Amino acid sequence: MRTCKIHFQPDDITIVTEAGQSLLAAAQQAGIIINSVCGGAGTCNKCLIEVDGISEPVQACRFYVERDLMVNVPESSRFFEQKILQEGIALGSCLNPQIAKYFVQLSEPCLDDLRSDTQRLIDAVKEAAGVRRSEDEIAVDTVSDTAGENLRGTIDYDLTIDFTLLPKLPGLLRDNSYTVTALCHGRHIIDLEPGNTTDKKYGLAADIGTTTVVVELVDLTNGKKIAVASQSNPQITFGDDVIGRIDYSRTHKDGLQQLRERITEGINRLIAEICEKSGIDRRYIYELTAVGNSTMQQLLLGIPVESIGQAPYVSTVTSAIDIPAVELGIDISPAGNVYVMPTVAAHVGGDTVAVALSTAMRHSESVNLALDIGTNGELVLGNRDRLLACSTAAGPAFEGARIKQGMRGATGAIERVYIGDDVEVVVIGEGKCVGICGSGLIDAIAELLNVGILDSSGRMLVDDELPASLPPKLRERVVKNKDGLAFILAHSEQSRQDGAIVLTQRDIREAQLAKAAISAGAVVLMRQMRIELADVEHLYLAGAFGNYIRPESARRIGLLPDLPLEKIQFVGNAAASGAREVLICREARQHAQSLAQRIEYVELAGRSEFQTLFSDCMFFPEK
Ligand code: FES
């Protein structure tokens, strides 16, 4: 095997890699994450890096290493750690986790009491759990040991013990004066610990987004959140969006396996960080609940995702999944469990079920609309009688992709734009600008509409088309460059790029496509429900993006419906809240399952009504 040495600047990292690797993969090996919006297809040009001895920057995904190299990764090509929304909405008071621990003192066997050790344990646990045997209950003290398939042997019809625990049971009881802590997952005893460890019982709630992953550590004895950790989804180098990752899994040998391993490693890194932060030993973490869109959930489970990406778009599974953590390689207690949220359809996943669950829409008499804008836009509309959902392929424009100088909400991103006599921008991290993120994009378009530089069709006006009253400094910012018409948001002296930060006519079109998809989706749902916009009591905005936008700007460009601002409510990371809810409350799992079955999926693709509405919604509302 021939190897080459690559030195990355300005990070000052050197790695040795196999010849023939792409620079994108080599950077990944060095721990440097490069933007790869197209997943390495060579079409997005976001992965440009400079190679010593080559005058023009090269595409990292298409440049294959054949010799030792010195390379420089510019800021504009880096996937910065973005602002990640960790907070969710406050939850109700249900505390009844699926994981329970009972410290039990068993009576010792004697000639008058010859029950087996397992029966003795089960009886004691039942008593501790307050389970009363009914008159006609018959204990069946047998163990089914059909190895492999049925490790959970049936001991009693309503409480079972994991078969693998039996070899250690006799010694554990006799060495500890017949006391033991039994760990139960629902009605299964999944582990036994010496002594009383009932005060050590933790779980993790994971929100696996296409772009970011957030993991919360929760004390299951009181439901309190102890620590949170988050990072960008490490699968990002295989494609920025769901379609990119589906393609990767389809076109690369071991692609599915690589995607699965990448997310598992990412979650394990967060678990390590969270344990270190909190000082909690991971062997006392017994469950992880995971929510994500259907693709993220299936990738976590190692289930092929091709059918999600191809018409007629179906997922492999929609019901909730419980699987031993060791089978997924998740670093918690070896007896631990992973619960994966039920989904509605291929494009309405567990994250949307979690949003519906945590916003309590299912209880409400009035009709509410929940909107989760991420790489796609998912919408849920309804009340306790009926719930409808759809997913719009809004595209990642609001996450900075397909926007010329677009970027995620990370240091250097313009996140706010105000236009008066001139332009004022607010930059994340307060330094010079690197690009513009989704909330900045929405602000900029709203302000350009307000001052008359954009008309309602989204066309950028020039010269004498511009309003006569337009301040000269603004007039000077409308320029024609190699990309066509553009508006200068930040002059070169405010920019860390080689030149000004501009918003092009093409960027405006991309934003129009995205906002039209979302607003047309909302109208289709309202029509299906036979309601008017005025009937919507609350608009819940979920997700990171929802939390950072200015609602008045989003409403101005028609991304949000024209509702009074007091009806618009930010619900933070509602998907993470839903994951926490099912972690601490077993009844919430039943609600999630019934929501997943009750929510009616409305497929937008192929609806002529949607196509017409989509074209109408491309226009910006008149002031
Ligand atoms: S062009 Fe290289 S990742 Fe898109």
Side-chain angles (χ1 to χ4, degrees), residues 381-442:
L381 176 76
N383 60 6
R384 64 186 179 197
D385 300 322
R386 192 177 183 201
L387 289 161
L388 302 176
C390 68
S391 170
T392 61
F398 295 129
E399 294 188 326
R402 299 192 198 136
I403 301 298
K404 183 164 172 35
Q405 287 175 300
M407 62 182 289
R408 295 164 196 280
T411 306
I414 296 175
E415 61 168 345
R416 291 264 181 276
V417 177
Y418 301 95
I419 300 184
D421 285 344
D422 200 359
V423 177
E424 196 190 316
V425 294
V426 177
V427 179
I428 299 176
E430 292 177 357
K432 288 189 170 184
C433 334
V434 177
I436 182 162
C437 66
S439 59
L441 176 69
I442 291 170

Side-chain angles (χ1 to χ4, degrees), residues 445 448 452-455 457-463 465-466 477-480 484-488 502-509 512:
I445 296 174
L448 291 176
I453 293 176
L454 285 183
D455 70 13
S457 75
R459 192 169 68 90
M460 205 176 275
L461 306 181
V462 277
D463 305 329
E465 293 175 324
L466 289 165
R477 286 176 181 260
V478 182
V479 293
K480 245 188 206 145
L485 269 182
F487 181 81
I488 297 174
V502 299
L503 195 62
T504 67
Q505 177 70 71
R506 204 173 301 151
D507 295 339
I508 310 281
R509 296 294 179 214
Q512 280 177 281

Side-chain angles (χ1 to χ4, degrees), residues 257-332:
Q257 177 70 2
Q258 286 180 46
L259 284 155
R260 197 189 76 73
E261 281 172 6
R262 194 57 65 79
I263 189 62
T264 308
E265 287 161 13
I267 291 174
N268 284 341
R269 258 198 307 278
L270 291 176
I271 296 174
E273 182 186 328
I274 226 168
C275 288
E276 175 151 359
K277 259 189 210 169
S278 61
I280 302 291
D281 188 329
R282 73 181 66 197
R283 77 192 145 113
Y284 295 118
I285 301 176
Y286 300 108
E287 191 165 48
L288 178 138
T289 54
V291 310
N293 59 50
S294 305
T295 305
M296 293 306 113
Q297 292 193 179
Q298 288 201 188
L299 288 176
L300 174 71
L301 294 165
I303 301 173
V305 287
E306 282 94 322
S307 61
I308 297 179
Q310 285 166 0
Y313 313 110
V314 289
S315 45
T316 304
V317 62
T318 51
S319 54
I321 301 276
D322 278 294
I323 183 167
V326 282
E327 279 186 31
L328 290 185
I330 299 290
D331 282 345
I332 56 175

